[in-house]
Amino acid sequence: MIPAKRLVLEFDRRFDRFASEYKKNLRIEDKMSLLNEAQDKIFENRVSVAEINSEVRNDLRVFEVKEAKLTKIGDKKDFSVFALPSDFYHRLRIKAVATKKDCGSKEIPITIFQTDDLNQALKDDFWKPSYEWELILGDEGDQGVYVWHNGEFSIGSVIIDYYRKPQRLECAFLSKTGSYKNFDDVEINYDSDCEFDTMIWHSIVDLAVLIARADIGDVRDFKIQSEKYFLKDKLEK
């Protein structure tokens, strides 16, 4: 992990070149908001291209959760519902443990459909859920993952690999009073460091500086300068 204090001090050093007077009015909670916004943008970009870029997958390895068992919310006639973890961001792989009377249990990958396509697939003889053909359909909704079995078998559990959200960056150590309220009106009296364990933290700081410059009206080259932090991730490795 990279200490949050280091990101803040680097932000101050780099931003001072552009707006030293404005910087004096930036509170620690302002700086943390800028750094978190930059982290969110960079994290979102990397997740979106991780499957085609090996370098990006390396950046994200610390956020990958393996073999997480989801909590079952309930069973309906044709489907079961499982809650996603509170830190869930993006699904990687998903499978279910299915059980059928006199046939035992086995793990079957879940094929995720969009809702419109799912309705058609559930009626299609080639796609509808089947224990024998190892076909289970699913989609994501407001309660979590909906796993369809059409009453032909039961779903005991669902297991996923996923990317979790990065923890929020906080740095109460640098506040004058030892604490502050963040933009969600939550009292912060601790430090929460950057979880990226590669050099990507430099890009987070640089992007935060660009966002701050745009906030004070310095938008002349914001689009061009900010895009360079995402361009290389769009190139297939």
Side-chain angles (χ1 to χ4, degrees):
M1 289 190 182
I2 309 300
K5 177 183 176 181
R6 184 172 184 183
L7 271 71
V8 175
L9 295 179
E10 280 295 319
F11 173 88
D12 286 343
R13 182 180 68 83
R14 300 178 197 188
F15 190 51
D16 188 57
R17 294 177 296 170
F18 303 102
S20 58
E21 288 302 315
Y22 176 77
K23 189 193 75 173
K24 294 177 182 178
N25 297 320
L26 277 179
R27 304 167 302 171
I28 184 63
E29 50 265 50
D30 297 321
K31 297 172 186 178
M32 301 319 301
S33 178
L34 290 163
L35 287 165
N36 277 305
E37 182 178 350
Q39 176 176 254
D40 287 346
K41 290 179 182 296
I42 287 176
F43 178 76
E44 180 181 9
N45 176 255
R46 275 156 176 71
V47 169
S48 70
V49 296
E51 294 183 4
I52 61 171
N53 188 312
S54 60
E55 180 183 343
V56 171
R57 288 199 297 272
N58 183 57
D59 287 338
L60 294 171
R61 67 181 185 276
V62 69
F63 303 104
E64 188 170 344
V65 179
K66 295 282 193 181
E67 296 286 308
K69 186 175 180 179
L70 302 186
T71 300
K72 181 183 283 190
I73 296 176
D75 293 306
K76 301 294 183 180
K77 178 183 177 182
D78 295 325
F79 62 89
S80 299
V81 186
F82 293 80
L84 290 166
S86 59
D87 62 355
F88 175 84
Y89 182 79
H90 178 77
R91 171 179 40 80
L92 295 172
R93 287 169 289 276
I94 183 168
K95 60 186 177 181
V97 177
T99 302
K100 188 170 184 178
K101 187 177 180 180
D102 299 327
C103 296
S105 300
K106 59 182 174 179
E107 291 186 351
I108 301 176
I110 298 174
T111 302
I112 299 294
F113 278 81
Q114 297 297 323
T115 301
D116 291 344
D117 296 329
L118 175 65
N119 292 332
Q120 184 63 36
L122 288 170
K123 303 173 184 176
D124 191 313
D125 288 337
F126 293 100
W127 275 112
K128 67 182 181 181
S130 169
Y131 180 90
E132 291 76 13
W133 291 99
E134 299 189 354
L135 279 173
I136 296 179
L137 309 186
D139 68 339
E140 294 176 2
D142 59 338
Q143 294 189 61
V145 180
Y146 294 69
V147 184
W148 296 80
H149 47 71
N150 283 5
E152 299 296 323
F153 49 90
S154 63
I155 305 295
S157 60
V158 169
I159 301 164
I160 67 170
D161 296 347
Y162 69 97
Y163 285 129
R164 63 173 177 82
K165 302 170 186 175
Q167 67 182 15
R168 308 302 294 168
L169 300 167
E170 304 292 355
C171 192
F173 177 81
L174 290 178
S175 66
K176 292 180 180 180
T177 62
S179 68
Y180 58 87
K181 282 192 175 183
N182 65 17
F183 281 25
D184 294 320
D185 203 33
V186 175
E187 188 76 21
I188 303 297
N189 57 11
Y190 57 87
D191 285 10
S192 180
D193 299 328
C194 180
E195 294 183 279
F196 280 100
D197 57 4
T198 63
M199 299 305 288
I200 203 64
W201 71 271
H202 286 288
S203 296
I204 293 173
V205 174
D206 284 340
L207 185 56
V209 169
L210 284 172
I211 295 170
R213 289 172 58 191
D215 284 349
I216 61 174
D218 185 7
V219 297
R220 291 168 298 178
D221 60 348
F222 174 78
K223 181 174 173 50
I224 295 174
Q225 291 297 319
S226 62
E227 282 184 348
K228 73 181 182 181
Y229 299 109
F230 309 114
L231 180 61
K232 74 181 185 67
D233 298 336
K234 297 175 184 176
L235 301 177
E236 184 169 349
K237 297 291 184 179

